[in-house]
Amino acid sequence: MTLLIDLVLLAMLALTALRIIFLKDLFAVVMLFGIYSFLSALIFVNLDAVDVAFTEAAVGAGISTVLMLGTLALTGRNERECERSSLLPLLVVCVTGAVLIYGTLDMPPFGHADNPVHEHVAPRYIQDSPQEVGLPNMVTSVLASYRGFDTLGETVVVFSALIGVLALLGVRREDNSLTPESGLKSHLVLHVVAKLIIPMIILFALYVQFHGDFGPGGGFQAGVIAAAAFILYALVFGLPSAFSVVSPKFLQVMASLGVLLYASVGLYSMAKGGQFLDYNKLAANPIDGQHYGIIIIELGVGITVFAVMLSIFYAFSSQVARLNIR
Amino acid sequence: MSFILDYYNYWVVVFLMMTGFYIVISANNLVKRIVGLNIFQTSVFMLYISMGKVNGGTAPILVEGVDVYSNPLPHVLILTAIVVGVATTAVGLSLIVRIKRAYGTVEEHEFETQGDVI
């Protein structure tokens, strides 16, 4: 049964990807990309990667699509025809694909329990992490504790991407009187539904944040879901109202505070006599220390991801608002 | 038959990878290129997750009475890669917005012949 589901999903993915090649309407391309992300999230569930599926659905299908649509609003909807021959790219792709398929023949067969990838460090994570870290979700244990330094690096990369976007675009605060009616003021149904849904999305984000130790979820997913709630607010009620709820300056402070919170846990554990990000030293009992450490750093990750995603959305949509004024 | 069952997942991943690669090198519109890059990226994620799968295993969350779990390490690597991926996509898209503002177009064959306006 799993095999059948897998085959159907993979076939749908291949069809979606093929369709994207030939479409000239970029709006449809971006929508198909959202579908592609959702389908790959389903495949991740089928391959037992529930945390990854969660992230792909929230980030790939949600935030990426919104950002691409924001870019389309600025750059135009249609791809222009070009007389350039597509023969050379096709040749390059076919040759590369053939080489890669030849390469896969040397790979260990799919799904076997004695593959090299399951040999060295993985059994340690699976067998010992519930005792050493005390969490049932091994993905969170590895992410936040065993590879905590790595995750700090990823958080810093997300933060620096924000710096890049702000340096390139910046968030412009127009005078409220000049801003045209943005948002969907005349749609009463949307207003009521959005008002009902937004608190629930935020509640769900908090659940994902704090339940991430026990089930799928964690700071990355929670940050994106919380940002989605505010993006919905900005889309329905207009950018100026969103700015007065969460101002861009506040978000920039939050983004850096999240990274600082994460790094300061590492420094605190050093001050307690351990190594950088050694949570065992945070409390008298090592398991309690692991719990405190993971909750705090997941909070730091969640705050940074939330602030970065929302700021990036602000940067793009304030460009669109500026274009509307012209 | 078992040969196909052992490898079909990798082959579909390679097909998706090449589709993304084709869009990146053949498309003229920069937004479409970013979409192609994202398709390529997602297929690499799928390759990693496929390698972590264990037949008969379950998601790596501790449950009473279950002994076989899929490998959590690729999941961790890919989870963070997805979030970093969207952050870098955002930087790419904002570069496109700047290109549009400088050259008035995002079609590569139209602005590659223009002089340096920045």
Side-chain angles (χ1 to χ4, degrees):
Chain A
M1 194 61 199
T2 321
L3 180 74
L4 191 68
I5 296 174
D6 204 33
L7 282 177
V8 170
L9 287 175
L10 285 173
M12 283 163 82
L13 261 185
L15 285 178
T16 317
L18 273 182
R19 191 75 194 103
I20 291 177
I21 296 183
F22 299 108
L23 274 176
K24 293 284 172 197
D25 181 0
L26 293 170
F27 181 76
V29 165
V30 171
M31 283 300 142
L32 277 180
F33 174 68
I35 293 172
Y36 181 88
S37 289
F38 269 127
L39 285 173
S40 43
L42 287 175
I43 286 186
F44 291 148
V45 174
N46 209 18
L47 295 174
D48 298 339
V50 277
D51 282 272
V52 180
F54 206 154
T55 320
E56 178 68 33
V59 172
I63 304 283
S64 296
T65 312
V66 168
L67 293 182
M68 284 178 188
L69 288 180
T71 314
L72 282 191
L74 294 161
T75 60
R77 184 173 165 162
N78 288 308
E79 184 186 19
R80 258 166 249 153
E81 290 290 339
C82 176
E83 61 286 350
R84 202 160 57 178
S85 151
S86 61
L87 217 59
L88 183 64
L90 195 65
L91 187 74
V92 171
V93 163
C94 286
V95 170
T96 321
V99 170
L100 282 178
I101 292 214
Y102 176 66
T104 58
L105 299 182
D106 276 343
M107 283 182 67
F110 171 69
H112 286 203
D114 49 358
N115 284 350
V117 66
H118 308 303
E119 296 269 294
H120 301 283
V121 74
R124 158 94 191 257
Y125 291 149
I126 292 173
Q127 281 150 20
D128 297 350
S129 81
Q131 285 80 44
E132 278 181 341
V133 184
L135 297 181
N137 187 350
M138 298 161 203
V139 175
T140 306
S141 299
V142 179
L143 180 93
S145 187
Y146 291 110
R147 300 183 68 94
F149 194 62
D150 206 12
T151 310
L152 175 62
E154 312 272 7
T155 317
V156 173
V157 171
V158 171
F159 177 67
S160 11
L162 171 67
I163 297 176
V165 171
L166 288 182
L168 284 166
L169 296 179
V171 179
R172 281 159 208 279
R173 282 195 86 147
E174 304 291 342
D175 193 1
N176 270 354
S177 56
L178 285 176
T179 317
E181 294 282 291
S182 68
L184 305 154
K185 290 261 157 56
S186 55
H187 294 263
L188 187 63
V189 176
L190 274 181
H191 276 222
V192 175
V193 172
K195 273 182 187 163
L196 282 174
I197 283 181
I198 287 170
M200 286 190 232
I201 300 179
I202 295 174
L203 197 64
F204 181 58
L206 290 174
Y207 166 78
V208 171
Q209 171 82 47
F210 293 109
H211 195 261
D213 305 356
F214 306 100
F220 284 105
Q221 293 95 329
V224 174
I225 293 169
F230 287 93
I231 289 175
L232 177 65
Y233 183 81
L235 287 175
V236 174
F237 295 93
L239 210 51
S241 342
F243 278 1
S244 57
V245 177
V246 188
S247 76
K249 267 273 173 308
F250 174 70
L251 281 181
Q252 286 157 27
V253 175
M254 290 253 286
S256 41
L257 271 185
V259 179
L260 281 177
L261 185 64
Y262 197 145
S264 59
V265 172
L267 291 179
Y268 184 72
S269 64
M270 279 172 91
K272 287 283 224 171
Q275 302 200 319
F276 191 67
L277 291 172
D278 181 3
Y279 309 139
N280 285 347
K281 299 284 189 289
L282 293 181
N285 181 353
I287 298 283
D288 289 348
Q290 291 283 348
H291 270 270
Y292 294 141
I294 288 174
I295 286 178
I296 297 172
I297 66 116
E298 286 273 11
L299 195 64
V301 169
I303 291 173
T304 301
V305 170
F306 163 73
V308 168
M309 293 301 154
L310 195 54
S311 298
I312 290 176
F313 171 77
Y314 276 176
F316 276 93
S317 54
S318 66
Q319 303 290 319
V320 181
R322 217 161 67 100
L323 196 78
N324 287 345
I325 296 169
R326 286 200 201 135
Chain B
M1 188 61 195
S2 87
F3 175 71
I4 295 176
L5 284 183
D6 281 345
Y7 290 100
Y8 77 95
N9 217 310
Y10 300 134
W11 295 337
V12 178
V13 165
V14 169
F15 176 79
L16 295 174
M17 219 180 258
M18 288 305 108
T19 317
F21 185 37
Y22 179 79
I23 296 173
V24 171
I25 56 180
S26 74
N28 257 308
N29 188 295
L30 294 178
V31 179
K32 198 167 175 184
R33 278 192 184 188
I34 294 269
V35 172
L37 213 52
N38 272 294
I39 288 178
F40 196 128
Q41 176 178 279
T42 312
S43 70
V44 174
F45 297 161
M46 240 173 274
L47 181 70
Y48 269 68
I49 301 294
S50 304
M51 289 198 277
K53 167 79 177 168
V54 176
N55 281 338
T58 179
I61 296 171
L62 191 70
V63 187
E64 289 284 326
V66 178
D67 290 329
V68 187
Y69 296 100
S70 286
N71 191 343
L73 188 59
H75 300 184
V76 174
L77 300 179
I78 297 313
L79 195 160
T80 46
I82 290 175
V83 180
V84 169
V86 74
T88 46
T89 302
V91 177
L93 289 173
S94 37
L95 279 170
I96 292 177
V97 171
R98 289 301 294 261
I99 288 172
K100 168 77 175 178
R101 217 183 285 163
Y103 292 97
T105 175
V106 290
E107 306 283 330
E108 199 199 3
H109 66 287
E110 286 173 15
F111 70 74
E112 67 188 354
T113 49
Q114 290 183 27
D116 197 1
V117 294
I118 300 167

